[in-house]
Amino acid sequence: MQLAPTSAGLTAAAVSVVSFGTSGAFVKPLLAAGWSPAAAVAARVLVAGLALLPFTLHALRGRWDVLWRGRWRVLGMGLVAVAFTQLAYFAALTRIPVATALLIEYLAPLLLVGATWAATRRRPGATVLAGSALAVGGLVLVIGPGAVQAVDPLGLLFAFAAAIGCAAYFVIAARPADGLAPTALAGTGLLLAAVLLLLAGALDLLPFTAHFGEVTVLGQAAPWWAPLLVVAIIGTAIAYATGIAASNLLGARLASFVGLLEVVSASIFAWLLLGEELTLLQLAGGALILGGIAAVRAERPAAPAPEPVVCLA
């Protein structure tokens, strides 16, 4: 039995959210062992792109014209959605707390609502506005109320740039596929992003340090490549491929709101795998985010509102 597009999209989004949520628990051992954040991200993106390469080639089946027609989506995914977003986020972390940077980056759904409002000159429905308020309130509770504070203005600017990159990810993923499968878009975009990140490291634009000895994973000694493979395959390759598929089926706005559950998923995995505290406040925040997603999904506009257009030319 074939799932309806919305049901299939929500299923893909759920897989993406859970996959992305595993990242923190398996990147943390690398960072604790001496890996710099930029080196860890470059490695995970490169390994993920290589892991998807056979699936990318199978999806293309030698139809390189499909890749050429979708070149702006590939460039946008690799340069903007992955590399630019990661670079902006890490730049923000050098100046502001992690919680504040996360809170600002995950305001991407509100940017999409505002962009659609500006593009169509039509105010979003009451359900979308209510859903936005619920989702942001839930996000604050999950990340922590302490994230809302006055901090370095340049750090805030970098975090806002990461939010724009995050919003661009959903918009690019939701564009008409024109024969370019989600796995092919994810695989080529990740490889392109890896090249850019490694180049940034080679030019000393980012601190690149790595430790190739044993690391501690879930209380046990393990080779450095073990957590890297987990975060690259599950937390990156599968996460991006299913996330792109979800955006293509759900549209950028709804997919971005569902994506907010990544912070809930990450908190749950940190609790299960790392023993970090999971508070009732965070669970309440997760419930508010779910309420916000339900409200956004419930909107039935009179005519389909076009997604905001991102010019990649």
Side-chain angles (χ1 to χ4, degrees):
M1 186 172 110
Q2 191 171 10
L3 290 175
T6 301
S7 298
L10 289 173
T11 301
V15 173
S16 180
V17 162
V18 172
S19 300
F20 271 126
T22 63
S23 299
F26 289 95
V27 165
K28 194 168 184 178
L30 295 174
L31 300 180
W35 285 66
S36 66
V41 169
R44 70 181 277 194
V45 168
L46 176 61
V47 174
L50 293 175
L52 283 176
L53 187 57
F55 302 96
T56 298
L57 295 175
H58 176 73
L60 291 173
R61 295 185 182 88
R63 295 174 295 131
W64 305 112
D65 59 307
V66 172
L67 194 59
W68 176 251
R69 289 200 306 271
R71 62 191 182 279
W72 298 120
R73 291 183 75 214
V74 173
L75 285 171
M77 183 59 64
L79 301 182
V80 180
V82 180
F84 172 79
T85 303
Q86 295 291 340
L87 291 174
Y89 178 70
F90 286 130
L93 292 186
T94 64
R95 293 177 172 271
I96 62 177
V98 173
T100 307
L102 276 176
L103 179 62
I104 295 172
E105 182 182 4
Y106 279 100
L107 293 179
L110 295 190
L111 295 182
L112 293 178
V113 170
T116 301
W117 190 349
T120 62
R121 297 184 180 179
R122 185 173 61 194
R123 185 179 65 83
T127 54
V128 171
L129 295 176
S132 299
L134 285 173
V136 171
L139 186 62
V140 171
L141 292 182
V142 173
I143 293 176
V148 183
Q149 53 182 294
V151 288
D152 183 85
L154 187 56
L156 295 177
L157 184 62
F158 283 135
F160 186 72
I164 293 174
C166 185
Y169 159 71
F170 290 106
V171 173
I172 294 165
R175 302 295 287 174
D178 197 18
L180 188 61
T183 50
L185 177 57
T188 52
L190 287 169
L191 286 175
L192 182 60
V195 170
L196 185 63
L197 290 168
L198 291 172
L199 182 61
L203 295 175
D204 288 329
L205 299 177
L206 291 173
F208 261 57
T209 57
H211 170 74
F212 299 108
E214 286 192 339
V215 298
T216 302
V217 182
L218 307 181
Q220 302 293 325
W224 63 271
W225 48 262
L228 178 60
L229 281 180
V230 173
V231 76
I233 294 174
I234 298 177
T236 310
I238 293 174
Y240 272 101
T242 53
I244 290 169
S247 293
N248 204 253
L249 291 168
L250 299 176
R253 185 173 65 189
L254 180 55
S256 69
F257 274 91
V258 178
L260 292 177
L261 289 174
E262 181 189 332
V263 295
V264 181
S265 174
S267 299
I268 292 174
F269 277 113
W271 171 56
L272 292 174
L273 301 178
L274 302 178
E276 295 184 5
E277 184 182 9
L278 184 65
T279 67
L280 290 176
L281 205 60
Q282 288 177 304
L283 294 175
L288 285 179
I289 292 175
L290 285 173
I293 294 169
V296 171
R297 186 188 175 193
E299 187 196 33
R300 292 292 185 269
E307 298 286 0
V309 175
V310 173
C311 180
L312 302 176

